[in-house]
Amino acid sequence: MYSTEELPLQDRQDFWNPLYTSFCRTICEKYKVEGEAVIRRAVGSVGYWQGEQQRRDYERSGISTDLNAFFQSGRGAVCDPRSVATTYTQTREVRLWDQFTCPMSNYWKANNAEAYSLFYCEEYMKSFLSGYTGGKGQFHLSMTLSDKRDMCCQFAAYLRPANLDAQQRCTAFEKKAVPEGAASISFADYMQEKAVLLCVFIWKELDEAFGKEGAQLYANALRRFEKESEAMLEDIAFRRGIPCDRRLLESAFPFSLREPSTLWDRLSAEEACALFMKTVAAPLAARYDKAAACAE
């Protein structure tokens, strides 16, 4: 049983899953090989950006950028309440762990989208760690839950001092440790950041690969996502016995519907943002504003 505080966090992850899968389906239905490459590059860019941002945050605070810091606080520490993992080794240089449950894997299995899981699993964490370590860290994935033969995702991460120059070793291992009890980015903020980043980098990759046709694929995927979002909201409300209204939408959805995140502008993705707001945010907001007015 999950608490009322945990349910909205789960919802944000659950909306991210069809966002990603809508992009995968729409792009790969048109361009199977080239589409996979586009998605992999975009997912890698999402991870790299988040890892690099975490490293910069630590450097500004004078915190060592070792693996302990990565997994103790910040973006590396956030976790869906439904995830179950066992960590076998955790040091400043090495982390070995298995993950036995994953809400993303559950979604992909339930929606016949296991193939798209590999695009994500093989690119995201590897790039996340690369951005955090300036390309010096190593990441290995040896099993995945999306493979019917495997019972877990098996991960290994390394940051070896011998692979770093003197300045990098100082930054990674000779600064202060993460203060005990240091706050991580909230899971809600992390998911909002990750959702916007996915849209931004998919847009950029589609534009570079396919030009105007890429913009059309982006719009088509967003329309698909908007329809799935409506169905998901109705299902969440029905299962919990609550109104399907604007309050539920704002607590569950990983995007701001009225004032878009400043991250769109920071990454020079104003056109992608405008299309998202027109295709997804505006229809959902109008639908549930109307529902609220009718209820009154």
Side-chain angles (χ1 to χ4, degrees):
M1 181 70 69
Y2 296 102
S3 70
T4 55
E5 291 76 21
E6 289 174 322
L7 290 175
L9 305 183
Q10 296 178 22
D11 293 340
R12 289 174 182 254
Q13 175 68 71
D14 289 344
F15 276 98
W16 192 93
N17 298 339
L19 173 69
Y20 168 78
T21 306
S22 293
F23 280 127
C24 290
R25 290 194 194 280
T26 303
I27 296 167
C28 291
E29 284 170 358
K30 181 71 174 179
Y31 296 104
K32 185 174 182 180
V33 176
E34 301 96 323
E36 176 179 341
V38 161
I39 295 160
R40 284 181 177 272
R41 288 195 299 267
V43 169
S45 295
V46 172
Y48 194 91
W49 189 96
Q50 290 186 294
E52 189 174 51
Q53 189 65 44
Q54 192 60 55
R55 172 168 51 86
R56 290 174 176 172
D57 290 347
Y58 284 164
E59 288 175 349
R60 283 193 292 267
S61 301
I63 293 172
S64 289
T65 56
D66 58 32
L67 291 188
N68 261 341
F70 182 70
F71 290 105
Q72 282 181 341
S73 179
R75 293 164 179 81
V78 295
C79 184
D80 188 291
R82 296 163 292 183
S83 294
V84 176
T86 297
T87 301
Y88 303 105
T89 301
Q90 174 71 68
T91 70
R92 304 181 78 189
E93 301 178 26
V94 181
R95 190 176 199 258
L96 308 176
W97 76 106
D98 291 346
Q99 184 159 336
F100 296 97
T101 64
C102 171
M104 291 185 292
S105 177
N106 293 342
Y107 177 86
W108 291 322
K109 287 179 180 178
N111 290 274
N112 194 30
E114 291 96 331
Y116 306 135
S117 70
L118 291 179
F119 305 171
Y120 175 87
C121 297
E122 293 178 352
E123 303 297 337
Y124 177 71
M125 194 65 187
K126 177 183 70 175
S127 300
F128 199 172
L129 189 65
S130 181
Y132 177 72
T133 63
K136 300 297 183 179
Q138 298 171 296
F139 175 75
H140 302 283
L141 172 65
S142 53
M143 294 195 295
T144 67
L145 282 165
S146 295
D147 190 322
K148 295 178 181 179
R149 298 167 296 180
D150 296 335
M151 63 177 291
C152 66
C153 291
Q154 193 166 74
F155 304 108
Y158 304 92
L159 180 61
R160 301 299 193 188
N163 294 335
L164 310 178
D165 61 32
Q167 180 57 49
Q168 291 170 332
R169 283 195 297 274
C170 177
T171 300
F173 295 104
E174 298 175 21
K175 303 292 184 179
K176 67 182 181 181
V178 175
E180 187 173 348
S184 298
I185 181 175
S186 72
F187 187 75
D189 288 343
Y190 166 80
M191 289 310 305
Q192 179 170 342
E193 178 182 87
K194 192 176 175 184
V196 172
L197 288 172
L198 180 65
C199 291
V200 168
F201 288 116
I202 285 282
W203 168 267
K204 290 179 181 290
E205 291 292 343
L206 285 173
D207 180 62
E208 184 173 342
F210 307 120
K212 290 184 179 179
E213 189 173 9
Q216 187 61 55
L217 288 170
Y218 178 81
N220 290 345
L222 292 183
R223 292 188 188 96
R224 194 175 211 157
F225 172 60
E226 193 274 333
K227 295 301 181 186
E228 288 206 35
S229 296
E230 286 186 15
M232 282 184 64
L233 283 164
E234 298 288 344
D235 182 61
I236 290 170
F238 174 77
R239 286 187 288 106
R240 294 180 192 166
I242 59 176
C244 189
D245 57 14
R246 185 60 179 263
R247 181 181 300 178
L248 173 61
L249 176 61
E250 291 180 344
S251 71
F253 208 56
F255 293 93
S256 174
L257 296 175
R258 295 198 185 278
E259 293 294 330
S261 167
T262 58
L263 194 52
W264 297 95
D265 289 337
R266 287 169 56 192
L267 293 171
S268 302
E270 294 85 353
E271 191 173 353
C273 177
L275 194 50
F276 179 88
M277 297 302 289
K278 175 184 176 182
T279 308
V280 178
L284 287 176
R287 178 182 179 89
Y288 292 102
D289 279 344
K290 182 179 180 181
C294 292
E296 292 173 358

